Amino acid sequence: MLHQNSSARLMDAAQELNLSARFGNVDIAAQHTSDAARPTFIARRQSWGNDIRVVDVNLSSMNLVDDEHAEVRVLYSWTRMDEGVLRATTVTQYWGNPKLGGWRLEREQRFAGDLGLFGERATKPEPQARGDVHFATRSLGAVNP
């Protein structure tokens, strides 16, 4: 029973943190971080809403390592404001529940996907020149009867 309650509390905390951050409520989201992780958490989301728009957030998996440690995988769909490319980044969040006092995000790292969600330097692809995209045409001469 304790395990079920613990996993439900973790899921609630992870959803509130990620949804609050997505919608720009970083101060509310930061309440679910450990004191040590809070400055990095806030700094990594400074460009959200300005340079980056987070379109969707999905908690894709949760793994309770033990009663005080867990990993949550989060899939972010996002785009840069100055381009129209939808990007996807999967992040692993490491959560702690010290002395069972409540789940707090301790650290996170990109697991897969596009760079740039957390301010990483990523080169923007240069548009490639397109060749002629028209079909070849032919003129039909007069038809002899």
Side-chain angles (χ1 to χ4, degrees):
M1 183 74 158
L2 177 64
H3 193 66
Q4 286 179 334
N5 289 336
S6 182
S7 64
R9 285 193 305 269
L10 171 62
M11 184 62 76
D12 289 344
Q15 284 180 332
E16 185 170 355
L17 175 136
N18 286 292
L19 288 176
S20 294
R22 174 192 174 201
F23 291 112
N25 299 318
V26 178
D27 54 335
I28 293 171
Q31 294 174 5
H32 295 286
T33 63
S34 69
D35 292 339
R38 193 165 296 132
T40 303
F41 177 83
I42 292 170
R44 293 178 101 184
R45 287 160 175 80
Q46 281 185 339
S47 61
W48 290 19
N50 298 316
D51 299 328
I52 292 175
R53 187 177 102 199
V54 178
V55 178
D56 198 14
V57 176
N58 289 305
L59 302 183
S60 61
S61 70
M62 181 178 71
N63 177 31
L64 286 174
V65 177
D66 57 35
D67 289 338
E68 294 186 9
H69 300 92
E71 295 177 10
V72 176
R73 286 263 166 86
V74 184
L75 174 62
Y76 293 94
S77 299
W78 59 279
T79 186
R80 289 189 178 108
M81 296 291 206
D82 61 350
E83 63 183 37
V85 177
L86 184 63
R87 300 172 182 276
T89 304
T90 302
V91 174
T92 302
Q93 295 180 334
Y94 300 92
W95 290 75
N97 190 4
K99 300 179 185 173
L100 303 177
W103 289 103
R104 298 285 181 251
L105 177 69
E106 294 179 338
R107 65 186 173 91
E108 60 188 347
Q109 69 182 33
R110 186 179 67 86
F111 176 75
D114 295 304
L115 288 171
L117 177 65
F118 293 135
E120 305 97 339
R121 294 185 62 92
T123 58
K124 291 183 186 176
E126 293 295 324
Q128 296 179 349
R130 291 178 36 171
D132 187 10
V133 294
H134 296 91
F135 292 110
T137 58
R138 288 189 209 183
S139 295
L140 298 176
V143 177
N144 293 333

